[in-house]
């Protein structure tokens, strides 16, 4: 299906020239007179939406050039993604994808980058092209880049992804088959926590025939349970059947795992509805926390906190004999790298230099996930911890990102800070 086009014809040269002049004026107008948008006609609003989107695409192209240049300066080391993640306050997974897209657009897909420069392709859709062509050789990707130049403008992300995938498979059909095999090698079981006390489970890159068979088995079991007096929907039944099969489908006992749930005493006693905090996932509703606490296999530990900051100062040893590292993980809750939310129970403990002290003289134990334990040892990165537990991370660019010790009261948590000065 051809992409939709505006009814009236616009001259690209005139449009771009006018946009450069109109948007700053419009921004000032909206700020000074909030009802400016209400006075505009519908077609003017649509034009403004389109024009601002074009300007965003141009700025994204400039940002990608800067990111690619930084990656080159860092000799394409993975730590460049960590710098971008800290600078933009995004996850390292997202930063790594953007760095890869920037390098691909600069080196392999110059026509797609030119479309961004012209305001005709945004980053989200451009990344559909970089993902679909990442496996192609240099010669093949050049052919796809040229073939897509007139196909992707005006199309949505799904259409861009399909067009790019088709062009890539057409130019290298043998490579497309190998890509499917590689995807199968990369199969994984993923866990994605969400913001309402629920979690998303997925099996990625599973063989189609096995995934279809698994779904059919779950669907049959769910439909068998859907009697006249069953209040659950089929979707709910399928989800419940799948979880049951995963936890006890072989007839054995359910698996147990350890998570850290931080809840204050008044919430636990049902005296207030303050949110609790699940390490690695963030705030959860008080009612959900009490439901977890009420589970038959739940074990409670008392943690004493500083009444001023909410930070952990002592852990009760009543459950087991107190292990040396256990309090550190309860105290830190998550990896202490700024922006990282890996639960502390899945992290290692790394000695970190105390501010103002020589290396090794008075190091403090801090939790870091495996990725950031490696990053800590990379050239140009410097880590220190202050007397109050604040972790300062200096990047190769000289910026310092800091995180304060987490509070067991989520309402007292403070955001990460960024400074442009070296560590002392």
């Amino acid at each position: 299906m051809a992409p939709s086009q505006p009814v009236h014809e616009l001259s690209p040269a005139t449009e771009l020239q006018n946009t450069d002049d109109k948007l700053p004026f419009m921004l000032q107008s909206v700020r000074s007179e909030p009802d400016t948008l209400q006075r505009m006609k519908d077609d003017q609003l649509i034009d403004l939406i389109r024009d601002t989107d074009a300007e965003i695409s141009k700025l994204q192209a400039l940002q990608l050039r800067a990111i690619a240049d930084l990656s080159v300066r860092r000799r394409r080391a993975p730590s460049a993604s960590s710098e971008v993640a800290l600078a933009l306050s995004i996850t390292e997974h997202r930063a790594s994808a953007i760095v890869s897209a920037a390098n691909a657009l600069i080196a392999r897909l110059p026509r797609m980058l030119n479309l961004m420069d012209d305001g005709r392709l945004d980053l989200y859709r451009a990344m559909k092209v970089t993902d679909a062509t990442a496996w192609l050789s240099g010669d093949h990707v050049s052919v796809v880049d040229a073939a897509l130049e007139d196909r992707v403008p005006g199309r949505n992300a799904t259409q861009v992804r399909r067009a790019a995938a088709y062009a890539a498979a057409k130019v290298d059909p043998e490579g497309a088959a190998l890509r499917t095999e590689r995807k199968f090698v990369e199969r994984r079981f993923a866990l994605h926590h969400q913001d309402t006390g629920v979690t998303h489970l997925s099996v990625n890159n599973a063989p189609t025939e096995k995934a279809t068979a698994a779904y059919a088995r779950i669907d049959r079991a769910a439909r068998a349970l859907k009697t006249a007096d069953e209040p659950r929907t089929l979707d709910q039944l399928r989800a419940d059947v799948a979880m049951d099969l995963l936890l006890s489908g072989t007839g054995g006992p359910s698996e147990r795992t350890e998570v850290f749930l931080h809840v204050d005493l008044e919430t636990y006693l049902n005296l207030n509805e303050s949110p609790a905090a699940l390490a690695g996932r963030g705030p959860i509703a008080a009612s959900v926390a009490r439901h977890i606490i009420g589970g038959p296999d739940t074990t409670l530990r008392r943690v004493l906190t500083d009444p001023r900051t909410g930070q952990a100062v002592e852990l009760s040893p009543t459950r087991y004999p107190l292990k040396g590292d256990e309090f550190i993980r309860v105290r830190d809750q998550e990896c202490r790298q700024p922006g990282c939310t890996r639960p502390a129970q899945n992290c290692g403990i790394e000695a970190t230099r105390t501010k103002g002290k020589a290396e090794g003289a008075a190091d403090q134990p801090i939790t870091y996930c495996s990725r950031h334990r490696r990053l800590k040892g990379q050239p140009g990165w410097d880590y220190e911890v202050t007397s109050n537990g604040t972790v300062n991370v200096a990047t190769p660019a000289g910026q310092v990102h800091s995180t304060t010790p987490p509070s067991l009261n989520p309402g007292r948590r403070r955001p990460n800070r960024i400074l442009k000065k070296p560590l002392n």
Side-chain angles (χ1 to χ4, degrees):
M1 180 181 295
S4 60
Q5 299 292 336
V7 175
H8 55 287
E9 301 236 343
L10 297 177
S11 168
T14 303
E15 181 187 2
L16 293 177
Q17 181 179 357
N18 289 343
T19 299
D20 293 339
D21 296 332
K22 287 191 304 185
L23 289 182
F25 172 76
M26 181 58 65
L27 179 60
Q28 293 298 326
S29 298
V30 171
R31 284 179 172 175
S32 59
E33 299 181 48
D35 62 342
T36 298
L37 295 177
Q38 282 72 34
R39 295 198 304 267
M40 296 176 67
K41 297 178 180 179
D42 289 359
D43 63 333
Q44 292 175 318
L45 282 175
I46 293 296
D47 286 341
L48 179 59
I49 292 170
R50 186 183 294 115
D51 290 344
T52 52
D53 187 64
E55 290 304 303
I56 290 170
S57 298
K58 296 175 190 177
L59 290 173
Q60 288 175 330
L62 177 59
Q63 184 184 62
L64 289 175
R65 285 186 163 88
I67 289 172
D69 193 78
L70 178 68
S71 178
V72 171
R73 295 186 188 190
R74 301 293 183 260
R75 299 183 179 180
R76 302 190 187 280
S79 60
S81 297
S82 299
E83 281 193 83
V84 173
L86 290 171
L88 299 181
S89 298
I90 58 178
T91 64
E92 294 205 19
H93 178 76
R94 175 64 177 169
S96 178
I98 292 176
V99 171
S100 296
N103 289 329
L105 288 163
I106 294 292
R108 292 161 52 86
L109 296 160
R111 294 174 187 261
M112 296 299 103
L113 187 62
N114 289 341
L115 290 177
M116 295 186 68
D117 288 330
D118 294 340
R120 302 169 67 197
L121 183 68
D122 61 14
L123 176 60
Y124 181 67
R125 290 180 294 149
M127 289 180 71
K128 298 298 182 183
V129 179
T130 59
D131 290 344
T133 60
W135 55 278
L136 290 175
S137 67
D139 291 339
H140 285 151
V141 80
S142 296
V143 174
V144 173
D145 189 33
L148 294 178
E149 186 174 20
D150 296 326
R151 298 181 189 176
V152 299
R155 295 183 180 269
N156 64 38
T158 299
Q159 293 170 322
V160 169
R161 175 181 58 80
R162 290 177 178 175
Y166 178 83
K170 183 176 181 180
V171 75
D172 186 6
E174 293 182 1
L178 288 174
R179 187 192 185 202
T180 300
E181 295 179 10
R182 290 172 187 159
K183 283 288 185 181
F184 175 66
V185 171
E186 295 169 359
R187 63 192 181 278
R188 63 191 181 95
F189 187 57
L191 179 75
H192 301 285
H193 294 301
Q194 301 184 30
D195 297 330
T196 53
V198 295
T199 297
H200 176 76
L201 283 173
S202 63
V203 180
N204 298 333
N205 299 330
T208 299
E209 68 281 4
K210 289 187 176 182
T212 303
Y215 182 87
R217 177 186 177 185
I218 292 169
D219 183 64
R220 284 195 302 270
R223 291 180 183 278
L225 293 172
K226 186 58 178 171
T227 59
D229 57 350
E230 172 56 64
R232 289 174 291 178
T233 67
L234 267 177
D235 281 335
Q236 292 170 337
L237 285 167
R238 279 190 284 261
D240 293 344
V241 167
M243 290 301 298
D244 180 65
L245 287 170
L246 286 170
L247 292 174
S248 58
T250 59
S254 298
E255 292 294 325
R256 294 184 61 188
T257 188
E258 182 180 67
V259 297
F260 293 161
L261 174 65
H262 304 277
V263 55
D264 65 44
L265 181 60
E266 291 185 345
T267 301
Y268 169 55
L269 296 176
N270 205 15
L271 298 178
N272 67 31
E273 294 298 317
S274 299
L278 192 62
R281 205 217 61 81
I284 63 172
S287 58
V288 176
R290 286 191 289 266
H291 174 75
I292 295 173
I293 291 172
D297 297 323
T298 298
T299 302
L300 300 181
R301 301 289 298 278
R302 186 189 74 244
V303 181
L304 298 183
T305 62
D306 186 320
R308 298 167 300 171
T309 64
Q311 294 163 10
V313 294
E314 182 182 336
L315 175 66
S316 165
T318 55
R319 186 185 62 176
Y320 303 110
L322 183 62
K323 299 178 182 178
D325 294 343
E326 192 169 8
F327 171 72
I328 297 168
R329 291 192 169 94
V330 171
R331 177 200 67 191
D332 288 352
Q333 301 185 39
E334 298 171 350
C335 170
R336 289 296 306 280
Q337 174 79 8
C340 186
T341 58
R342 178 81 58 178
Q345 66 264 36
N346 298 334
C347 294
I349 296 175
E350 188 87 4
T352 303
R353 176 175 58 83
T354 301
K355 184 176 182 180
K357 304 291 184 179
E359 188 75 39
D363 291 350
Q364 296 188 42
I366 300 293
T367 54
Y368 301 101
C369 67
S370 58
R371 176 186 179 95
H372 294 121
R373 290 178 75 184
R374 292 191 299 269
L375 181 67
K376 185 172 176 286
Q378 293 297 310
W381 291 83
D382 190 17
Y383 286 68
E384 69 173 17
V385 58
T386 66
S387 58
N388 70 353
T390 297
V391 174
N392 296 324
V393 181
T395 71
Q399 293 190 333
V400 178
H401 300 258
S402 301
T403 54
T404 56
S407 169
L408 294 187
N409 181 347
R412 291 178 182 165
R413 293 187 179 184
R414 288 176 286 180
N416 300 338
R417 294 181 291 116
I418 178 172
L419 304 171
K420 292 185 178 180
K421 62 179 182 180
L423 295 178
N424 294 325

